[in-house]
Amino acid sequence: MKPGKDIHDLLQIMARLRRPGDGCPWDLAQTFSTISPYTIEEAYEVADAIERGDFDDLKDELGDLLLQVAFHAQMAGEESRFDFGDVVEAITTKLIRRHPHVFGEVAAKDAGAVKANWDAIKAEEKAERAERRAGGGAASEPKSILDDVPVALPALTRAMKLQKRAGKVGFDWNDPRAVIAKIREEIVEIEQELSEPTRAADRVEDELGDLLFAVANLARHLDVEPETALRGANAKFARRFAHIEMQLQSREEKLGEASLDAMEALWQEAKLREK
């Protein structure tokens, strides 16, 4: 078997890896649940390559992500649930249906009109799915408009989606400054917990969660993706801390023995160098 540029080459390799008897023992042992974490990880690695502007890595990471789709489709095919062709058909159907201004007769003058059409079509699709799940009868009323926001999403991403969904029905602030006031309020509540003589770890965790949720809400109001912002902050921290390590090493000082004041001075030096 040789590498190739046709999607069927990938599907044949995946099928061979999963062939009972002489396939790969590791691949044969996998299930949807065990592969799911790798699927999420590969998506993050795609995002990382994009942020770094490394298109060689992006090509490889997109391949890894595509492998995840092929892997899930192969396992589903083995159980006679669906196959890779069904996955392709589902997404092409969805794309055509959600772009009636391109593939149909609906007019859309700008991106706002496109978004309005997209949201309306998504709502129709959700109603159809609910009817299918109800066995073809009348669709049962959902318990909450938040029910279909996946629990498995990264916490910051899910917070944004929950807030956005609630905002669509008017449960939202109109001014980012109101969110900043909420953040201050949550900080005060954490300070109150810290001042308690018998501090409860679960209450501190609860208040910290409220603070993070409010920060995610501010990011949404400022049209900033919090996961991206936090990854940037992580990279910045790593760069500046590496400067501290390098400078201490040049002075023949050990990292664990340097004073906090000395490290803070080097941190400020790193900040100035980045400006």
Side-chain angles (χ1 to χ4, degrees), residues 38-271:
Y38 295 105
T39 308
I40 296 170
E41 180 182 333
E42 296 300 350
Y44 275 110
E45 291 184 359
V46 166
D48 177 64
I50 292 171
E51 283 191 16
R52 290 185 287 105
D54 190 329
F55 288 93
D56 285 335
D57 267 8
L58 178 58
K59 175 189 65 179
D60 289 341
E61 298 301 346
L62 286 171
D64 291 343
L65 185 58
L66 181 58
L67 171 62
Q68 298 300 307
V69 179
F71 209 137
H72 285 289
Q74 173 64 30
M75 291 187 292
E78 292 166 3
E79 298 176 6
S80 299
R81 297 178 183 275
F82 59 83
D83 60 20
F84 189 85
D86 295 321
V87 174
V88 174
E89 183 180 27
I91 188 58
T92 53
T93 299
K94 185 183 294 183
L95 286 172
I96 293 169
R97 181 176 182 178
R98 292 188 183 180
H99 292 83
H101 54 289
V102 176
F103 302 108
E105 303 299 326
V106 175
K109 296 180 179 179
D110 53 34
V114 171
K115 182 67 165 57
N117 284 339
W118 181 281
D119 289 341
I121 294 167
K122 279 188 68 175
E124 292 174 4
E125 291 172 352
K126 287 178 183 177
E128 289 172 4
R129 283 199 300 270
E131 184 175 349
R132 285 200 307 270
R133 290 166 184 166
S140 58
E141 289 295 321
K143 295 179 181 178
S144 168
I145 63 169
L146 307 179
D147 281 349
D148 61 346
V149 179
V151 177
L153 286 172
L156 280 175
T157 301
R158 187 164 192 261
M160 292 272 283
K161 287 185 176 293
L162 291 170
Q163 294 159 359
K164 186 177 180 180
R165 189 69 59 83
K168 286 184 176 180
V169 295
F171 191 71
D172 201 2
W173 282 290
N174 295 321
D175 190 336
R177 285 168 291 193
V179 187
I180 292 173
K182 181 64 176 176
I183 290 172
R184 293 194 182 105
E185 176 187 322
E186 298 298 350
I187 291 173
V188 169
E189 291 182 3
I190 291 176
E191 289 174 334
Q192 291 172 345
E193 285 297 335
L194 294 178
S195 66
E196 291 291 333
T198 55
R199 183 196 315 168
D202 59 340
R203 288 203 302 270
V204 172
E205 179 182 298
D206 185 63
E207 296 297 348
L208 185 59
D210 291 343
L211 174 60
L212 291 171
F213 191 84
V215 170
N217 207 355
L218 178 61
R220 180 175 63 89
H221 277 268
L222 297 178
D223 198 24
V224 171
E225 171 53 54
E227 293 280 350
T228 302
L230 186 55
R231 283 198 296 271
N234 289 342
K236 185 192 303 180
F237 180 88
R239 285 196 312 270
R240 293 176 180 176
F241 193 78
H243 175 77
I244 294 174
E245 292 176 304
M246 183 178 64
Q247 292 301 314
L248 290 176
Q249 186 177 14
S250 69
R251 301 174 188 177
E252 297 184 351
E253 296 180 39
K254 293 183 178 179
L255 185 63
E257 297 174 1
S259 69
L260 179 58
D261 287 341
M263 289 191 287
E264 176 61 24
L266 291 171
W267 178 273
Q268 294 301 327
E269 180 181 293
K271 282 184 66 174

Side-chain angles (χ1 to χ4, degrees), residues 24-45:
C24 171
W26 186 89
D27 289 280
L28 284 165
Q30 303 312 305
T31 65
F32 294 106
S33 296
T34 62
I35 288 297
S36 179
Y38 295 105
T39 308
I40 296 170
E41 180 182 333
E42 296 300 350
Y44 275 110
E45 291 184 359

